[in-house]
Amino acid sequence: MPRSKRNKIVSLTKADKKGRVRKIKLVDEVRAAIDQYEHLYTFTTHNMRNTFLKELRQSMSDSRFFLGKNKVMCLAFGREKESEYQKNLHKVCEHLTGECGLLFSNLGLEEVQKVFGEFVKDDFARSGFRATEDVVLPAGPLLQFPFSMETHLRKLGMPTELKQGTIRLLRDYTVCSEGEALTPDQARILKLSDIKMAQFYLVITSHWSKGGFEEL
């Protein structure tokens, strides 16, 4: 009986040539940055927001950021001492796990730490974020909301009513308690109430400079 073509195992490199080309390009770009810049930093991202990262990139336009594809970037460095692109680069791979990135720059460690330390942005918390405080909305009129939002607020779980064109909260309503993971509805209510709990910031975890390496 002839073998079904549907069951044929296809090599990943053949099935995704474009993906392989992108990986090779990323390796080449990372190695070019190694040659171009004096310093390489790994960093972790907290409460990642693309808009804030874009702002930071623009303010550090003389440097180069790389995020994502951690395993591919490790290929650029070399995972083992015997295969590393330059001395001690294999140690950088240990810090490329989770939500992290690379910064290539000619700025020294103290300068970069200063820039990162000053670049902290408040933002609205998202679903899954652990509340940093108790938030309780008192009973009474919710003048911050137009009357047209009353149905939406009720769908989010708030005990409301519309009276004489004004939304009223029928009783004190606990939006969230400190330490609990926010649900999508809780995160939405906090945003509608203009309450920002999250902070976007970056933390440097290691520093490499032409052979020298240090964990931070």
Side-chain angles (χ1 to χ4, degrees):
M1 182 175 178
R3 181 185 298 177
S4 171
K5 292 184 179 180
R6 293 183 179 181
N7 296 327
K8 185 177 181 181
I9 298 174
V10 180
S11 169
L12 178 62
T13 56
K14 292 181 179 179
D16 189 12
K17 290 184 178 180
K18 289 184 179 179
R20 190 162 184 264
V21 169
R22 287 194 294 268
K23 291 178 181 179
I24 293 172
K25 182 181 178 182
L26 177 58
V27 168
D28 290 341
E29 289 179 349
V30 170
R31 288 184 172 177
I34 293 170
D35 296 333
Q36 179 181 351
Y37 294 96
E38 289 293 322
H39 302 277
L40 162 61
Y41 304 93
T42 60
F43 60 85
T44 54
T45 62
H46 297 262
N47 301 304
M48 177 63 182
R49 304 290 190 269
N50 288 329
T51 52
F52 294 145
L53 183 62
K54 182 179 179 181
E55 182 181 340
L56 180 60
R57 274 178 158 153
Q58 290 173 343
S59 70
M60 300 183 70
S61 57
D62 54 347
S63 301
R64 182 84 186 269
F65 285 86
F66 288 89
L67 279 90
K69 304 292 184 182
N70 293 344
K71 291 182 179 180
V72 178
M73 291 190 290
C74 277
L75 291 176
F77 299 136
R79 295 181 180 277
E80 308 295 336
K81 185 175 182 179
E82 294 73 22
S83 61
E84 61 188 6
Y85 183 66
Q86 288 191 27
K87 184 179 178 181
N88 285 325
L89 273 177
H90 75 281
K91 297 180 180 179
V92 176
C93 290
E94 298 175 9
H95 296 272
L96 286 179
T97 58
E99 295 187 1
C100 63
L102 301 175
L103 170 65
F104 289 93
S105 180
N106 289 323
L107 298 176
L109 176 58
E110 289 187 4
E111 293 176 280
V112 174
Q113 286 178 324
K114 183 175 185 296
V115 172
F116 279 17
E118 293 175 350
F119 197 86
V120 178
K121 300 291 185 179
D122 295 328
D123 198 18
F124 298 108
R126 294 176 177 175
S127 175
F129 180 87
R130 296 205 171 272
T132 58
E133 60 182 296
D134 297 339
V135 176
V136 179
L137 300 179
L142 298 175
L143 300 177
Q144 67 270 40
F145 299 118
F147 72 91
S148 58
M149 288 195 65
E150 195 273 331
T151 301
H152 181 58
L153 294 177
R154 268 193 290 113
K155 287 182 179 179
L156 292 174
M158 295 177 64
T160 62
E161 68 173 0
L162 188 62
K163 191 171 183 178
Q164 295 180 341
T166 299
I167 301 175
R168 299 184 63 87
L169 196 59
L170 299 177
R171 59 181 180 274
D172 290 353
Y173 178 71
T174 300
V175 179
C176 61
S177 300
E178 183 178 356
E180 75 171 343
L182 298 177
T183 66
D185 286 351
Q186 289 172 317
R188 181 61 179 163
I189 292 171
L190 290 174
K191 186 172 183 179
L192 290 172
S193 302
D194 198 32
I195 298 174
K196 296 181 179 181
M197 285 188 178
Q199 282 191 324
F200 167 88
Y201 62 96
L202 307 178
V203 175
I204 299 173
T205 56
S206 72
H207 171 219
W208 178 91
S209 181
K210 303 307 176 186
F213 177 83
E214 59 181 327
E215 293 184 352
L216 301 169

